[in-house]
Each structure stands twice: as C-alpha cells, then as structure tokens.
Amino acid sequence: MLERYNEHYHALNPFHANGSLFTPGRALTEANLKEISRDFDIAETEFFVDWCRPQNFYYTMGEILLKDDTPLTLWLNRGQRSRAYGLDEQRRFHRLSRSVLSAIRTAERLGEAQAELALAHQALEIQRVAVLTLDRAMKLRDANALAEEVLRREDGLRSRQGHIEPTDPKDAIAFRQAVHRVTTPLHGLASPDTSLTIRRPNNQFPYQVFVAATRGRKAFLRFSPAETAVLTFRATSRNCAPDLSSFGAHFHLTPSELRLAEALRDGAPLPVAAKALGIGYETARSQLKAVFAKTGTQRQAELTPIISLWLNSGT
C-alpha cells in the first residue's frame, strides 16, 4: 500500500511530471513552476493538499542531478511559517548538489573497482593460484587465503619472523636470487620476470613459482610502494586434481551443503537434487541459500561453473 501511495504522489509531483522541461545544473523552486503555466497554482493540486500540506511542505528547492533511465534529484522543503528560498540559498544549494553528484560518481567508480578486484580474487581462488607480495628484504607484505594456507602448512614455503623462505634449504639461494633479480633492475631497465622450482615435503609434486616486479604493473591487483615483488603459483599438485572435499573446506561448507553442491554440479534442478538426497525441498532451498552466500554466487547457473573450474584446476 505504501509503495502504491508513493508511486501515486510521485507521478503527481509537478517537478517530476514536467521534468523534461527542466534541465540539470540549476536550482529549482516552486517559483519555477510558473514556467509551466501562468495559471498553475500548486496549492490547488492533489499533490499539495494530500502530500505536501500534511508534512508542512510549503516552500521547496531542489535540483535534477541526473537525467537518464534512473533520474536522481535532491530536494529541501520547509513550512509556510518560514520564507521562500532566496538566491543566495539557491547558489549554495547548487554547490551542494554538485558535491553530492561528484560523491555519487566517485562511489560508483569505487564500487566498480571493488567489484573488479573481487572478481579477480575469486578467479585466483577458483584456479587455485596462490599470491604473495614481498618487500626488498623478502618480508611478507600481503597474501591471499590460499597462500596463507600454504605458509601455515609450510608446504614448500614458510614464514620465519615475517620473512618468506623455502622449506627446503636447497632452494634458498635460488629463491633469494630470483626475488633480488626482479626487485633490482639494472640501469632503469624493466625488471625481467623469472620462475623457479620450489620443492615440497613428502616428495609431493613441486611448485613452479613465478616471480615478478610490482613496478609498472597495471592490473586488478594494486600494489603499495612497499610491495616490490609478487609471487604466484598453482597450489595444487599436477598429478592430483582437487576434489569436492577441498571445495567444501575452502568455502567452509557443511557436509550437507557440500552434498547438495555435488548433486547440483551437473545442472540438476533443485527438486531433483533434493529427492536424490532424501531431503525436503525447503531444506534443500535453505542449504542452497547458504551455499550461495558462502561462494559469493546468487543462482545455480553461477555456482555450477565454479564447481567445474575447481575440479578442473589441477589438470
């Protein structure tokens, strides 16, 4: 009912109903309504009687900020005991409107950048790519979740007093040389990327670690001045593809949520998956919502490609 009420009076608002007659970039008041018709009297309209007067809106001042598919306006109102908005107030309001519009556009750009960054991080996680950044002293500056897991397990690399080093002493010299090579360019020349093999415990398949300088990198991942080298490597063995248990562990799925994700991975409809698992539809629906929330997806068509990418990331 409230939505219909708002829609009704929004349509009756003379500034909105006649928005095509006004251009963005100017402060408007009730006096500008006379531009529509000399005989126009807002006090006699349903909009004023049933909307403005009960809220003690008599004098108004506003501006059209954006005039597109989703128009945006900013308005101030005050009662009849006050006075009409003067020219000085209109000028100050116009400056305020410009600042608000600038803030909105900045927020939109930041939102787009954050969305791109989130997608980049998600893509790295799906593809099982570990990322670490180091400073010139090989001290860890940042790491994604997968790299932190590798360091915690001391699976080829580890952290000692904040400094990164290979777990196998045989790789220590080559590791230091690789980081030094990309962080110390010669005579202003671009730092060459390099790679090296890092041994892992228990004769597991070694990591092929790629080392690159952060200088001059324009990508989704932004680096601070202290970050001079970035290390990336696939954190799964080439002879052992990841299974859904690692998928569940990574996204913190419960056993029942993981079973549902497995039942849905080939695109089966939710009612079919629920029946196959012997659970009710509402139970399956509730579990699926939890899976969506934990994996950053919103529908099944987004979830199944992530599961497929995960299972194929070790091949």
Side-chain angles (χ1 to χ4, degrees):
M1 182 191 70
L2 288 175
E3 288 181 358
R4 290 197 300 270
Y5 179 84
N6 286 327
E7 289 174 359
H8 174 73
Y9 286 102
H10 178 81
L12 294 179
N13 186 328
F15 286 102
H16 291 285
N18 300 278
S20 60
L21 302 178
F22 301 114
T23 58
R26 57 180 293 205
L28 304 170
T29 70
E30 68 283 346
N32 294 109
L33 293 176
K34 295 180 180 179
E35 297 178 13
I36 301 173
S37 171
R38 293 184 177 274
D39 300 326
F40 181 83
D41 186 357
I42 190 173
E44 297 179 356
T45 63
E46 178 187 352
F47 173 74
F48 180 82
V49 173
D50 288 351
W51 176 268
C52 299
R53 189 166 61 186
Q55 301 178 82
N56 195 28
F57 293 166
Y58 191 84
Y59 297 108
T60 187
M61 176 172 60
E63 187 166 327
I64 300 171
L65 302 184
L66 295 175
K67 197 171 184 179
D68 50 20
D69 294 336
T70 55
L72 182 66
T73 59
L74 180 67
W75 295 91
L76 295 177
N77 300 280
R78 60 191 181 196
Q80 192 171 7
R81 292 185 179 182
S82 300
R83 54 184 174 78
Y85 290 100
L87 291 177
D88 183 61
E89 290 176 306
Q90 293 176 40
R91 284 192 290 268
R92 284 185 286 151
F93 183 81
H94 175 69
R95 291 196 296 269
L96 171 65
S97 299
R98 297 301 91 194
S99 298
V100 170
L101 182 58
S102 176
I104 290 171
R105 288 174 171 163
T106 300
E108 289 175 345
R109 290 194 294 271
L110 287 174
E112 292 171 356
Q114 289 173 344
E116 291 176 353
L117 183 61
L119 286 173
H121 280 291
Q122 187 180 37
L124 291 172
E125 296 291 346
I126 292 171
Q127 294 296 331
R128 303 293 288 173
V129 177
V131 183
L132 305 91
T133 57
L134 310 178
D135 61 17
R136 292 185 185 278
M138 293 196 301
K139 189 172 183 178
L140 180 65
R141 305 298 303 189
D142 198 8
N144 67 352
L146 192 54
E148 290 177 347
E149 180 185 339
V150 169
L151 296 175
R152 187 169 54 251
R153 296 197 317 257
E154 297 194 355
D155 183 13
L157 292 172
R158 64 189 176 192
S159 177
R160 285 290 180 268
Q161 297 180 339
H163 294 81
I164 303 302
E165 64 180 29
T167 54
D168 192 324
K170 298 176 184 176
D171 297 328
I173 295 177
F175 181 75
R176 286 195 297 269
Q177 289 176 342
V179 175
H180 179 75
R181 190 178 304 122
V182 301
T183 57
T184 311
L186 296 175
H187 306 295
L189 297 177
S191 301
D193 298 346
T194 187
S195 66
L196 72 157
T197 300
I198 296 293
R199 297 174 178 86
R200 299 170 64 195
N202 304 320
N203 294 320
Q204 297 182 78
F205 199 89
Y207 289 138
Q208 191 68 23
V209 178
F210 295 89
V211 186
T214 59
R215 186 183 298 104
R217 299 281 169 176
K218 293 183 179 180
F220 289 125
L221 301 177
R222 306 298 181 186
F223 303 108
S224 70
E227 296 172 302
T228 57
V230 57
L231 281 61
T232 59
F233 57 94
R234 295 286 292 276
T236 53
S237 156
R238 293 182 183 176
N239 56 5
C240 181
D243 56 18
L244 277 182
S245 61
S246 64
F247 178 85
H250 179 76
F251 288 107
H252 307 291
L253 302 182
T254 65
S256 58
E257 292 166 357
L258 181 58
R259 285 193 294 270
L260 178 63
E262 184 174 13
L264 295 172
R265 73 180 189 180
D266 294 325
L270 185 60
V272 174
K275 185 176 181 180
L277 294 172
I279 59 176
Y281 174 74
E282 289 302 322
T283 300
R285 191 165 173 264
S286 177
Q287 292 176 358
L288 184 58
K289 286 184 178 180
V291 173
F292 286 160
K294 292 178 180 180
T295 57
T297 55
Q298 295 183 342
R299 57 183 190 271
Q300 192 175 334
E302 296 175 356
L303 175 64
T304 51
I306 290 179
I307 297 176
S308 297
L309 283 169
W310 187 279
L311 292 175
N312 294 329
S313 63
T315 59

